Amino acid sequence: MDFLTLLVIYLCFVLAAVALLCACSGRKESFLARSVNGASQVLSFVIPTQLQSATRRVLHRLFHTRSCLFVVLHVALQAAVFGEYTWEVFVYCWELQFHLLLLLLPYLLLAGNMGCFILCSRANPGIITKSNHASLVKIYAYDGVLFQKGIVCPTCNMEKPARSKHCSFCSMCVHRFDHHCVWVNNCIGAFNAKYFFLYLFTLTAMAATIAIITAAFLIQVVLLSNMMRGSYIDDQGQERAVEILFLIQHLFLTFPRIVFMLGFVILLTLVLGAYCCFNLFLALTNQTSNEWYKSRRYGWSHHLTLQPHDRRVAYKNTYSKGVWMNLKEIFKPPTVLERKKK
């Protein structure tokens, strides 16, 4: 198998990984969902009806109901990455006398990440029940734009508190609903948002650390071999100096699994890093993903929208209390007593 074939297989795997990462958003109108719907309409002309129905049932089971599939995939990906890191990268780096604490750092981050993962997946996100409804409805005031007073959830048969939303995956209303995360198989709400934030941060740091150590190992191999000062004979029989493309090809063929893993964790670091920054922005401005997405319809305080009785108002985030208090609210959600004191 030549280099180009391996590269094509690698790119296909990377694109599949990006598609799976996009599934964590849980939004019905996401770019991924629109792309799938468009593709299904085109393919409906050539695919048998029975196969279409079976495909819809499978996709509904995967993306619209609670399932442990993505949890299993999450664990399998981590096991594959750490297996390769342990049996090859760690051993090679130890022989090259890398600092032991640096080599053990990914394992420490993994322990913290798995702890946050378990807490996030098993914690109550803020399920609204008839027993706690009266207290939860008093915590946040209705802003009159995103959240209207008197709206009743047809499934739960209860008035929706401000900042809550009914999750179609879990079939329940969640207090301060952010989104449903398929990777932890749970909703992200007021009471487990802190665990999700720490889970996301440790996962990003873990991927970045493995990427840095692996890249440092490959760079060390290149430096020790003096490969950049060498030359090679091309297909025309001419001697050429070593270039970056030749160097990447050589490393890919010499350490295929290590280079493959490095590309994957670099991609993962970029995607998770961007998503981590987005969640930090939401935390500092006291917004949820659900509120940010819904506020785009109103232009974030720049466009006016019609309200009942033709009263024109501009949307404004009324829940922000300053950077420090907003961040504090993630780790210590407000209660009814705290709101009464204000």
Side-chain angles (χ1 to χ4, degrees), residues 27 143-147 163 165 177-178 278 281-282 285-305 307 313-319:
R27 298 188 187 114
D143 62 3
V145 180
L146 299 184
F147 304 104
R163 310 192 78 181
K165 187 180 184 298
F177 178 86
D178 190 278
F278 174 67
F281 162 75
L282 293 179
T285 56
N286 205 331
Q287 297 181 83
T288 64
S289 297
N290 177 53
E291 293 166 2
W292 180 88
Y293 180 67
K294 291 171 67 174
S295 68
R296 299 307 96 188
R297 307 174 194 171
Y298 302 102
W300 185 249
S301 302
H302 295 294
H303 293 82
L304 300 179
T305 179
Q307 293 297 312
V313 296
Y315 171 71
K316 183 180 180 180
N317 180 15
T318 60
Y319 303 112

Side-chain angles (χ1 to χ4, degrees), residues 244-314:
I244 296 297
L245 183 61
F246 176 84
L247 183 63
I248 295 175
Q249 179 179 348
H250 176 76
L251 290 175
F252 195 94
L253 296 176
T254 307
F255 306 103
R257 294 198 303 270
I258 293 179
V259 176
F260 188 90
M261 181 195 72
L262 176 60
F264 178 73
V265 293
I266 288 177
L267 172 69
L268 203 61
T269 301
L270 295 175
V271 174
L272 289 174
Y275 189 52
C276 194
C277 291
F278 174 67
N279 275 266
L280 179 60
F281 162 75
L282 293 179
L284 295 178
T285 56
N286 205 331
Q287 297 181 83
T288 64
S289 297
N290 177 53
E291 293 166 2
W292 180 88
Y293 180 67
K294 291 171 67 174
S295 68
R296 299 307 96 188
R297 307 174 194 171
Y298 302 102
W300 185 249
S301 302
H302 295 294
H303 293 82
L304 300 179
T305 179
L306 285 175
Q307 293 297 312
H309 311 297
D310 293 333
R311 182 170 55 89
R312 299 175 68 85
V313 296

Side-chain angles (χ1 to χ4, degrees), residues 10-194:
Y10 170 69
L11 290 176
C12 291
F13 182 84
V14 166
L15 291 175
V18 173
L20 290 174
L21 287 170
C22 291
C24 71
S25 62
R27 298 188 187 114
K28 296 181 180 179
E29 299 299 327
S30 64
F31 173 77
L32 180 62
R34 292 196 300 269
S35 301
V36 171
N37 290 334
S40 63
Q41 292 177 2
V42 175
L43 295 176
S44 63
F45 296 103
V46 295
I47 297 178
T49 306
Q50 293 181 346
L51 183 58
Q52 293 181 41
S53 301
T55 303
R56 290 193 192 98
R57 286 195 296 270
V58 172
L59 292 176
H60 179 80
R61 175 67 179 171
L62 290 177
F63 296 104
H64 294 282
T65 57
R66 293 194 69 177
S67 172
C68 293
L69 175 64
F70 286 96
V71 175
V72 174
L73 180 61
H74 173 276
V75 175
L77 287 174
Q78 280 194 335
V81 169
F82 270 90
E84 182 62 25
Y85 173 78
T86 301
W87 297 114
E88 292 208 43
V89 177
F90 186 94
V91 174
Y92 288 140
C93 290
W94 178 255
E95 293 177 355
L96 292 174
Q97 298 182 343
F98 277 56
H99 199 284
L100 180 60
L101 183 59
L102 176 64
L103 297 179
L104 293 178
L105 184 58
Y107 299 104
L108 298 177
L109 290 170
L110 176 63
N113 178 257
M114 292 305 297
C116 295
F117 170 79
I118 294 172
L119 290 172
C120 185
S121 60
R122 297 182 64 87
N124 178 1
I127 301 174
I128 301 174
T129 62
K130 292 184 178 179
S131 60
N132 64 11
H133 177 269
S135 59
L136 293 179
V137 79
K138 298 177 182 178
I139 294 179
Y140 293 112
Y142 295 94
D143 62 3
V145 180
L146 299 184
F147 304 104
Q148 304 281 349
K149 185 175 178 60
I151 303 297
V152 177
C153 175
T155 304
C156 301
N157 197 26
M158 292 184 295
E159 181 182 3
K160 291 183 178 180
R163 310 192 78 181
S164 69
K165 187 180 184 298
H166 183 84
C167 177
S168 58
F169 288 80
C170 305
S171 189
M172 60 188 182
C173 286
V174 177
H175 174 55
R176 200 182 182 277
F177 178 86
D178 190 278
H179 71 287
H180 181 93
C181 181
V182 295
W183 297 104
V184 300
N185 197 27
N186 198 6
C187 288
I188 308 302
F191 302 144
N192 67 344
K194 54 181 176 291

